[in-house]
Amino acid sequence: MNAIVLPNRRIEDWKYSDLRNAVDESAVAAAPTAAWTMASVEGAADIADLPAIMPRGEHGAMAELAIAAAKAGPYVRVAKGERAAVHLHLVEGGHGRALIVVEDGASLVLRETVRAADFANIAVEIVIGKGARLDHVRHAPQHDTVQLADYAVQVADGGQYCAQLMNFGSKLARTELHVVLEGEHAEAVIGGAAVLSGTRHSDVTIHVDHAVGNSKSRQSFRYVAGGHSRAIYQGKVTVRQRADGSDSMQTAKGILLGERAEIDLKPELEILADDVKCAHGAAVGDLDADSLFYLRSRGVPESEARSLLIRAFLEDAVTGIEDEKIRSEIWSAVEAALPAAMEPAP
Amino acid sequence: MLEIKNLHVAVGGKEILKGLTLAISAGEVHAIMGPNGSGKSTLSYVLAGREGYEITGGAITYRGENLAELSPEKRSAKGIFLAMQYPVEIPGVTTLTFLKTALNAQRRARNEPELDALAVLKLVRSKAASLNVPEEMLKRALNFGFSGGEKKKLEILQMALFEPALAILDETDSGLDIDALKLVADGVNRLRSPERAMLVITHYQRLLNFIVPDRVHVMAGGRIVAKGGKELALELEAKGYGHWTKDAA
Ligand SMILES: Nc1ncnc2c1ncn2[C@@H]1O[C@H](COP(=O)(O)OP(=O)(O)OP(=O)(O)O)[C@@H](O)[C@H]1O
Ligand SMILES: [Mg+2]
């Protein structure tokens, strides 16, 4: 591999995630091909190796590197009108590639977990056919490494992409979603949460492109940052010229639990069409003092009151997960991560 | 039971209570009336232990203890309950869950055994029925989207559930329809006992027809400017506060 240049904080898009500071260029260059296992496959999913000719969506800078370096990867396909559930588990880090195709009228519940205890940089192509649906739940547990994942998602007419990104932070963790709503009535519903403690970092960077009209996107994120941690949401929505009737909404909210924690929320709109319905909002704050007092005045001890309010805040982020089993698993992970996030800074 | 002596309280650096003195014995119901901005809610918050209310002078003694040293949750466990003028909306926390959490937290703090979910449900149901609070309301998020009157009813439901030794009702009657007012008054009267005391803050003499007070205090400019029996409320209703506020100024 040629000499590589890692993105750093002087590049606007990587301002909050200085990759050059977090990992050695030589380590990135030397990283092997990442490995996944199919932890479970239910229903009619075809699992194969990547085809010679791959669809290519829009990606970020690091994904290009993964695409160039990864030698192999899984290809999950759900044929027309079929239904399936697949659990992909990243077991070894490195540069990785994967392809997910949900054909017309098909549906897939894709659950993704990450065990990689070393550097990971994956690029995933997702193709959602007409009237097809993908429920994508990505659960990134706490790590102390650099974790990069970049998804290019194409959604055809009437297709639905529902993503839930649950982040518990890493030394540097960045998830990029590049979603193109290519057909009328295509929909992207993207949500998630981050619960961070210590010095962990989590960056979610999203671009939703309303390429045609009458498409719809929703983004909703809830962050809780304790200790010295840092949570980032950068979400951009583009509505192309003539993509009239597009409807988009972005909300991101953060609660700072640590005095030295930081949450950066940057929703952004780029509207080139005339007749659109777009809204966005972002707010970072402390726990609401009035609510806290109300609960305490009814006898609920401070720590319990805080935890009750934080849970209520985060619960909103997981109600979007339709699969009950996955939802309860994710919720357990949230509960497990909360005590550390709520710990007063040392 | 409660003794407030020459209390001075500042909020955001501004003195709001300016030498307030008031004593309530067990078994008594006291009413406080007074113009807007006279410091009634400030007093109620100080008694409940809200942050940002700085006691700059005087003392509050509750059952022989210095109240200022106790956290809001400790005060609650020791029997102080404030029905707030503006109950807080808390989305995401179910009302019933909250009631169970609060009740058991108080019991735990008093070394009493906690109640299981079913026992709490039974208890809440019976209190809710007596206040005409529909069960559907208990499944909703705490105070969230509740009407003004519904919020006040939920405050009284909590009072009935927690059975506090000292209940402070801050304008609980404001915003209640006449039937609800009677239900709330019944709830309060049911709780009256020789061991308990109540402090009822109101703008309307009407409430005091239902909850007959032992003493009525007039508050103006951050202190008590007059006191008397229940007939004082009638006199206030007839004459307004003009006379007292002139005195205070
Ligand atoms: N945080 C604050 N900073 C400055 N002044 C405050 C603050 N909170 C309350 N005050 C002032 O303190 C005074 C007393 O307010 P309080 O709410 O106690 O009055 P009240 O007697 O309950 O009035 P009402 O009958 O309208 O409920 C008011 O002038 C109010 O503006
Ligand atoms: Mg008031």
Side-chain angles (χ1 to χ4, degrees), chain A residues 226-303:
Chain A
H228 200 168
S229 66
R230 185 161 202 189
I232 297 118
Y233 165 78
Q234 309 187 96
K236 182 174 175 182
V237 171
T238 302
V239 180
R240 300 269 165 198
Q241 235 170 1
R242 284 185 293 280
D244 291 314
S246 289
D247 173 356
S248 98
M249 207 164 81
Q250 282 170 278
T251 54
K253 290 184 191 168
I255 294 181
L256 289 168
L257 297 179
E259 271 174 43
R260 302 169 72 195
E262 187 175 325
I263 297 179
D264 300 288
L265 306 174
K266 271 182 45 185
E268 191 188 338
L269 270 172
E270 180 189 35
I271 303 177
L272 306 169
D274 299 322
D275 173 25
V276 297
K277 207 169 102 191
C278 294
H280 67 65
V284 181
D286 299 323
L287 273 182
D288 182 54
D290 290 345
S291 304
L292 209 51
F293 171 64
Y294 187 85
L295 296 175
R296 293 179 69 189
S297 77
R298 306 300 147 104
V300 184
E302 185 178 6
S303 62

Side-chain angles (χ1 to χ4, degrees), chain B:
Chain B
M1 174 171 278
L2 180 72
E3 216 182 326
I4 306 171
K5 269 195 186 150
N6 192 26
L7 183 67
H8 291 255
V9 169
V11 187
K14 183 181 159 200
E15 186 167 63
I16 309 288
L17 299 187
K18 303 169 182 171
L20 183 139
T21 296
L22 178 72
I24 307 176
S25 303
E28 291 180 348
V29 172
H30 289 217
I32 292 186
M33 301 179 84
N36 296 128
S38 55
K40 304 182 298 296
S41 292
T42 303
L43 172 64
S44 73
Y45 284 140
V46 172
L47 292 174
R50 188 176 184 150
E51 261 172 56
Y53 289 71
E54 197 198 343
I55 297 179
T56 52
I60 311 172
T61 315
Y62 169 70
R63 288 176 152 171
E65 261 189 292
N66 176 9
L67 202 59
E69 283 168 7
L70 302 177
S71 65
E73 52 267 40
K74 284 235 174 73
R75 296 181 199 204
S76 166
K78 287 178 185 284
I80 293 182
F81 176 81
L82 165 62
M84 292 189 197
Q85 184 175 1
Y86 303 108
V88 183
E89 296 198 2
I90 307 187
V93 176
T94 314
T95 304
L96 192 58
T97 308
F98 157 73
L99 294 175
K100 177 168 174 265
T101 306
L103 184 64
N104 276 333
Q106 291 177 28
R107 295 178 68 93
R108 220 181 312 132
R110 291 192 296 258
N111 290 320
E112 293 165 13
E114 292 186 35
L115 299 179
D116 64 29
L118 194 67
V120 174
L121 186 66
K122 270 192 180 160
L123 199 58
V124 171
R125 268 190 184 147
S126 75
K127 306 290 183 193
S130 69
L131 286 162
N132 232 341
V133 169
E135 233 179 289
E136 171 269 335
M137 224 168 91
L138 304 172
K139 292 182 185 138
R140 285 162 59 187
L142 181 54
N143 288 323
F144 190 64
F146 285 21
S147 76
E150 286 170 344
K151 285 178 186 164
K152 298 300 179 74
K153 277 204 205 173
L154 189 70
E155 295 291 279
I156 294 307
L157 192 155
Q158 290 176 58
M159 184 190 74
L161 194 63
F162 303 152
E163 303 184 326
L166 173 65
I168 305 148
L169 310 185
D170 189 359
E171 293 197 30
T172 303
D173 53 331
S174 301
L176 286 181
D177 65 50
I178 187 70
D179 293 343
L181 186 72
K182 282 182 185 152
L183 286 173
V184 162
D186 285 348
V188 172
N189 288 329
R190 258 198 299 276
L191 217 60
R192 283 179 93 147
S193 84
E195 296 86 49
R196 285 189 237 279
M198 288 178 199
L199 184 58
V200 179
I201 297 168
T202 183
H203 284 296
Y204 306 106
Q205 192 275 329
R206 188 179 62 176
L207 176 72
L208 305 180
N209 288 335
F210 298 112
I211 306 171
V212 181
D214 299 299
R215 307 285 293 164
V216 175
H217 307 262
V218 181
M219 190 164 170
R223 54 174 89 88
I224 302 295
V225 293
K227 49 184 127 188
K230 60 178 187 282
E231 59 298 332
L232 182 56
L234 287 166
E235 194 186 329
L236 282 170
E237 185 122 300
K239 295 185 185 161
Y241 294 115
H243 173 63
W244 310 109
T245 44
K246 248 178 275 148
D247 264 15

